[in-house]
Each structure stands twice: as structure tokens, then as C-alpha cells.
Amino acid sequence: MTAQTPFIQIRSVSRVFNGGNGVHDLSIDIPRGSFVVLLGPSGCGKSTTLRLIAGLETADHGTIAIDGKDVTNVPPSKRGLSMVFQSYALFPHLSVAENIIFGLKVRKTGKDEIKSRLTEALNVTGLEGYEDRKPAELSGGQRQRVALARAIVAGHPLCLMDEPLSNLDAKLRHSVRKDIRDLQQRLGITVVYVTHDQTEAMSMADIVILMKDGRIEQAGNPADLYLQPATAFAAGFVGSPPMALLPASALPDAVIPPKTDAGRLTFGIRPEDLVLSTDTSTKAWGISATVTGSEFLGAETFVYVAIPGTSGATARLPGQVHIAPGTQVSLSWAGAAAHWFGEDGQRLAPTATREAAREPNTSFETDTAIPSL
Amino acid sequence: MNDMARLQKQRLALYGWMLAAPALALMSLFAFYPAIATFWHSLFTRGTTRRPSVFAGFENYQDLFADPTFATVVWNNLIYAGVTIPVSIIFALIMALWANAHIPARSFVRSAYFTPTILPMIAAANLWLFFYTPDLGVIDQITGFFGASPTNWLGQPDTALASVIVVTIWKEAGFFMIFYLAALQTIPPDLREAARIEGAGRWTYTRRVLLPLLMPTTIFVFVNAMINSVKLIDHLFILTKGGPNNASKLILYWIWEMAFAYFDSPHAAAMTILVLLALGLVAVAQFRLVEKRTHYR
Ligand SMILES: Nc1ncnc2c1ncn2[C@@H]1O[C@H](COP(=O)(O)OP(=O)(O)O)[C@@H](O)[C@H]1O
Ligand SMILES: [Mg+2]
């Protein structure tokens, strides 16, 4: 397979339910061996997209090809893929081993092969010794691994996962995240993974496909999404705490990009790009704001500020920062750190602002590192 | 420490007995005592004004075994149970699967299936009496349309039992369907999709996932069907009265006849004890065999 032919090709696929929800005119290319995450808020059509790839839903329009074969009207079992469900969908009356080999048995695989594949799958997922237990006798994490084992036992080149970690506690989620990623790399399979958790998406994905209202908002690698959000929605969804999105009208004229109408622009700034200064007099163009609170998280401190005419912003400062609520501060940033979005929410081509580009970066108490762009 | 544990255990045992006591008292009054009294009664001869009843040992039982009607009635009931139990269960399951699928007018289908259940058995029997009427009934109208001659379905030994069986199945299947329908709705649709992705077709899914998950319901329905196959005789009074020539006579009807038509209560008591014994054996076998292989969630 050449690099040019994507493993999965989705071409203008629509699936609209009664009521108008669903997915609209999706086109996605997924390279072989990649870990692709479908990300978006609840109800944006991630599961529907996954089910379209799986064949559990049929497209109203458009075509889906897997591995060069048009599978638009092919039943799920003939698409050469496996799936991990959010609920795990384990068969409650079957033992762990029976659950894992269910598909192999259905496909009439030879006895010896079933045995060796089962051993392998149990080994990979660390489930040895649990073969004879029923799902009800397992912990949430173990059930999740059984679902994973069932997905990889057949050796399909494609594995679909629908929010597989949402039923696990936070700590376990973190380690399983890594396990799944390692497993995918080791087996060299393609994974399409659905989640509404942007941390999960950013930490696992080769490619993130951000969706909203049944359409793709932005697709790209995690760094792209973070550093160059294509829309205001993407900017606000990715990153924690999220990017502050302020109407440009609340900003001083000096920072507004030339030849634009401040009344229609949205300005975005990442928490780590905000510079706080208590010296409100020196800066010509700093935004004045009031500190409303702060959160110390060990390695960093989040400082929440209220800005008149906006819903406020968050600054992320390294280390511990003591700053009392009510303190008047001046906010500034390096010009290149600013994101601008038009009235339609689309990102504007980066243009240097008149003042900010020239302005040296002054910082308060600590040196706020500005990521190079 | 050990004493404490023992005391605790004793107290729990006491609680257990206390909790069981009301049910136990009622059971003793209405089940155990009558059963023992019946057994006692079955050991005496039938008393008349001239000859008072005397202890007869197991003579009544010997009489029963010697009576050719006994064999007929037991055989009839075996056929009756052997057909109505599996057929009504299978119908119930198929109807439930059908009524649970995404079909148009689903609630109409469900209520249509359930209608026979809400009719009293006597009313249902009267309805079917009309269906079975030779020449005029619905069934003969239909068979007549295809050129068959009128049949006295209820009046001839060859078809009487079968006709009664049909009515029972018609009456029971809708009732059992409700239980299957309820059970089907607790099975998450994810399982179906997981099975589909693993390559299981409709039949494999039904056999390997659906039926095992429905097993607790099947056992419940099976026990009910079995009890009904002994207990449900209301329609015999309307349809055939056990005839012709005992062809559709079932055990309980026979017992009723002995006790209240011929006033031969000792023999009726003996037959009742035999039925109790048989049912007890079946119940034990069932718990031993079937329960072990069932998955309860
Ligand atoms: N079978 C269905 N019938 C009708 N509407 C549906 C169906 N499945 C999903 N939807 C709707 O389509 C939209 C997308 O759903 P889904 O793909 O499940 O979202 P999510 O991104 O949370 O996984 C939702 O608004 C949902 O209500
Ligand atoms: Mg979903």
C-alpha cells in the first residue's frame, strides 16, 4: 500500500436521523497504522461516524472505503474490523475466554488456532488467570481489558473504540490510555477512537478530528489543533483550561489587527500566553482586569481574571503565585500568541498587530514562558 | 470471640425462623395439612350409610392402577403436557421476538397477542366452541372452502384432545409472550451489535446469546406451563367434558369427576396424592438439572 492511498476513505458521507441530527457531508482520510481520535462534545456525531465505519449504520449519501475496497453497503462482519463499545458489550453469560473467542468460533476458526490466539490475547491484555470468570465477577478495568482482548484476538487491521475509558476512574484511565496506545503501536493496527475528553484526544492521537454538530470542525495532529485552531470553537474546546475568547471590542485599539473591524472579531489567548502585571501604569495597551481567584496545582497556578465586557480569562503561571482576589492587573501577551477569529468563527490569517509585535514581553513575578510559534 | 460468633449465628438463625414463621404457618394450614389429610383419607374405604369407612391400606391405589381409565387419563395428560408446554413456549418466544422487533403497528401486534390472556378460560372455551361447531363454525367454514367435509372436532375421539390442546396453546402463548417481551427489553442492544461485528448472523446471535440470556425466563415460563398442564381444565367443562369415551379426559378432570360427580372421595384422594408425588419429583429434577445450567444476572 502506498502512502498516498489512505486506509480508510470517507467521501461526503451523510447520515441524517429524523429530526435533522446525525452527520453531514463528512470526508475523512485515515492513514494506515494511525491512531485517529474523533473528538467533540456529546451529540456531535462521533458515535454515528464510528458506526458508519463499522457498518452498524448505513450512509444516506457518500461512500466509505476500507483498505481500497468500497464497503459502503458491506455488512460489519465483512469489513475486517473489530470494535470496543462504551458499555464493553460483553456477553454476561459467557466466561472471559468464551467472550474473547466468540468471533473466532462464529467464523469457525480451527481449535488449535483459537487456543493460541486466546493465549496471546490474554497475555497481551494481562488477563491470564481470569479465563473462567464471568464478566460480572470482574472489575471495571478488567472488563475493559476483556473488551480489548476480544477486539484484538481476531487480528483485524482496524479497531474502532467508542469512549472505551469513560466508565473507568480517573487514575486507571490514565494508565489504560497509555496501554491502548502501546498496544496499537505494537500490533501496528489502525485505531479510530471516539472521545469527548480533549486530554485523552491530545495525549493519544496521531490525528485528531474535531467535530461539531455533525460536521468536521478541524482535523490535524494535536499540535496543529492546539497551536493553530481553525475556528473559535476548536480554540475553546481544545486545551485545559480552555483558551480565553474575548470580543475584540473589549480590547484596546492598538492590539486589533489592521484593516479589520473590531466589532466583529473574536480574540483568543491561551492561559499560558497571558502575562499578568500589577504595574498598571507602564503599559500603553495592556487590558485592565481584576483577579477573581486563583488555584494552586503544584507545578502551576491558574489565576482567574474578570475583564469588563467579557466572560473573563484564565492565566496559567508556573509555580506558586500569591495574588489576592480583587487585585487590579494589566494583561498583555506576545503578539504572535494572539488568535483572531472572524465573525463566522473562522481563524484569520495571522497578521501582526501594530503595537503588540513591537512590545517587549514584560512579566510579573515569574517568567511566563511563551511557546515559540 | 468464638462465643460471640456463635451467639451471632444463633441470633441470625432465630431471625430466619421468625421471618419464615408467618409464611410457614399459612403454608401448614393451607398446603401441608390438606396434603397430609388427603393422604390419610386416601387410605380408607368409601363410607356409606350402611357400611362405614374402614382402613384399607393402599387398596384405593391398587384400584386406580387396575382401572383402564387411569392409563388413558395419564396418557392423555402426558400428551397434553408434552404438546402444550413446548409449543406454547416456542410460540411465545417467536411472538415476543416479533413484537420486540421494529415493525409497524408494534403496540397493536402486542395487544393482539395478549388478548387471549385477558379472557377468562370459560369465555375462551365458549368462543372456541363456536369455532369448532361442525359445518357452521369458522374452522369448518375454512376447511369447507377447500372442499373438506364437515368435521365434529370436539365430538370424535381422534380430534377431541387435539382440539383442547389448541385452545390451551392459544390461551397460554400470549401470556408467556409478555414475560419474554419484558426479558428481551432488558437485553442491551449493544450485545446484538457486538455479535454482528464478530460475524454472528441472526440465528447464531439467537442461539448463542439471546436464548441463554432468556433462560431464566424460559424456566419460569416452563414451570408455569407445567403447572397449567395439570391445573388448567376449565375449558374441558365447556368443550368436551372429557369425552368422547375419555379421549380428552385429563387427570384433574378425572379427579373432579370421581370426587364430585361420583362422590368417590377416597379414590380421588389417592389420585391427588399420586399427582402430588409426580409433581414433586419433577420439581426436584428440575432444580437439580436446569438451574445449574442457567445464568442469572
Ligand atoms: N438512532 C438514532 N435515531 C435518531 N437520532 C439519533 C440516533 N443516533 C444518534 N442520533 C442523534 O444524532 C446525533 C449524534 O449522535 P451521536 O453520534 O451518538 O453523538 P456522540 O458524538 O455523542 O457520539 C445526536 O443528536 C443524537 O441524538
Ligand atoms: Mg457517543
Side-chain angles (χ1 to χ4, degrees), chain B residues 5-83:
Chain B
R6 196 169 325 125
L7 211 66
Q8 183 78 11
K9 227 177 203 169
Q10 279 171 355
R11 190 176 323 143
L12 279 179
L14 185 65
Y15 283 156
W17 281 107
M18 277 164 67
L19 287 170
L24 213 58
L26 288 174
M27 288 276 285
S28 309
L29 194 61
F30 294 110
F32 301 139
Y33 169 71
I36 292 165
T38 305
F39 176 64
W40 185 246
H41 190 57
S42 73
L43 301 178
F44 289 84
T45 62
R46 179 183 178 186
T48 58
T49 35
R50 271 194 285 149
R51 276 187 301 152
S53 119
V54 293
F55 186 80
F58 287 95
E59 232 170 68
N60 287 328
Y61 293 85
Q62 283 163 12
D63 292 348
L64 282 181
F65 291 128
D67 188 341
T69 314
F70 175 82
T72 313
V73 168
V74 168
W75 180 242
N76 280 348
N77 221 140
L78 283 177
I79 294 177
Y80 183 76
V83 177

Side-chain angles (χ1 to χ4, degrees), chain A residues 21-286:
Chain A
N21 290 320
V23 297
H24 312 274
D25 195 25
L26 283 189
S27 293
I28 305 175
D29 282 346
I30 294 176
R32 177 179 291 268
S34 59
F35 197 108
V36 175
V37 174
L38 297 173
L39 175 67
S42 175
C44 71
K46 308 176 299 283
S47 296
T48 307
T49 310
L50 200 72
R51 292 163 58 80
L52 281 163
I53 299 175
L56 295 171
E57 294 281 353
T58 318
D60 298 335
H61 302 286
T63 60
I64 300 172
I66 298 177
D67 206 0
K69 274 204 313 276
D70 184 344
V71 294
T72 314
N73 294 308
V74 171
S77 56
K78 301 258 159 57
R79 296 188 179 200
L81 49 80
S82 53
M83 186 159 170
V84 178
F85 290 80
Q86 181 170 7
S87 63
Y88 310 143
L90 300 178
F91 304 116
H93 60 295
L94 297 180
S95 67
V96 166
E98 291 277 336
N99 259 293
I100 295 173
I101 62 173
F102 183 88
L104 297 178
K105 266 190 163 171
V106 169
R107 294 193 162 92
K108 306 244 169 359
T109 314
K111 267 226 173 73
D112 295 337
E113 189 173 350
I114 288 186
K115 212 168 163 201
S116 68
R117 276 173 185 261
L118 174 64
T119 316
E120 166 82 15
L122 288 170
N123 181 12
V124 165
T125 49
L127 281 169
E128 295 111 326
Y130 293 101
E131 294 90 331
D132 299 324
R133 296 232 195 147
K134 294 275 168 64
E137 299 160 348
L138 298 175
S139 73
Q142 289 163 340
R143 277 180 226 178
Q144 204 275 338
R145 277 184 278 154
V146 177
L148 213 55
R150 185 172 68 183
I152 60 170
V153 76
H156 292 309
L158 173 60
C159 183
L160 310 176
M161 304 189 186
D162 194 348
E163 313 214 12
L165 307 187
S166 59
N167 291 330
L168 301 181
D169 59 82
K171 202 158 189 179
L172 198 55
R173 214 178 289 176
H174 192 84
S175 70
V176 176
R177 216 149 76 185
K178 196 171 163 308
D179 292 346
I180 291 182
R181 185 70 170 128
D182 289 348
L183 195 62
Q184 180 260 341
Q185 308 249 292
R186 181 138 51 102
L187 301 174
I189 55 177
T190 310
V191 170
V192 183
Y193 184 106
V194 164
T195 181
H196 63 264
D197 177 352
Q198 60 91 24
T199 325
E200 223 168 278
M202 299 301 273
S203 61
M204 296 174 88
D206 294 320
I207 300 171
V208 178
I209 296 171
L210 180 64
M211 296 182 67
K212 183 196 175 200
D213 297 337
R215 294 174 202 280
I216 295 178
E217 194 76 4
Q218 185 174 5
N221 62 43
D224 276 351
L225 258 78
Y226 192 80
L227 300 175
Q228 308 273 326
T231 62
F233 172 79
F237 196 83
V238 174
S240 170
M243 181 186 283
L245 292 168
L246 314 174
S249 53
L251 303 180
D253 285 341
V255 300
I256 309 291
K259 284 176 280 176
T260 52
D261 178 358
R264 304 178 166 200
L265 286 186
T266 303
F267 162 76
I269 185 80
R270 292 270 176 219
E272 60 270 30
D273 294 337
L274 266 185
V275 180
L276 259 65
S277 166
T278 40
D279 180 7
T280 46
S281 61
T282 55
K283 294 278 252 174
W285 57 271

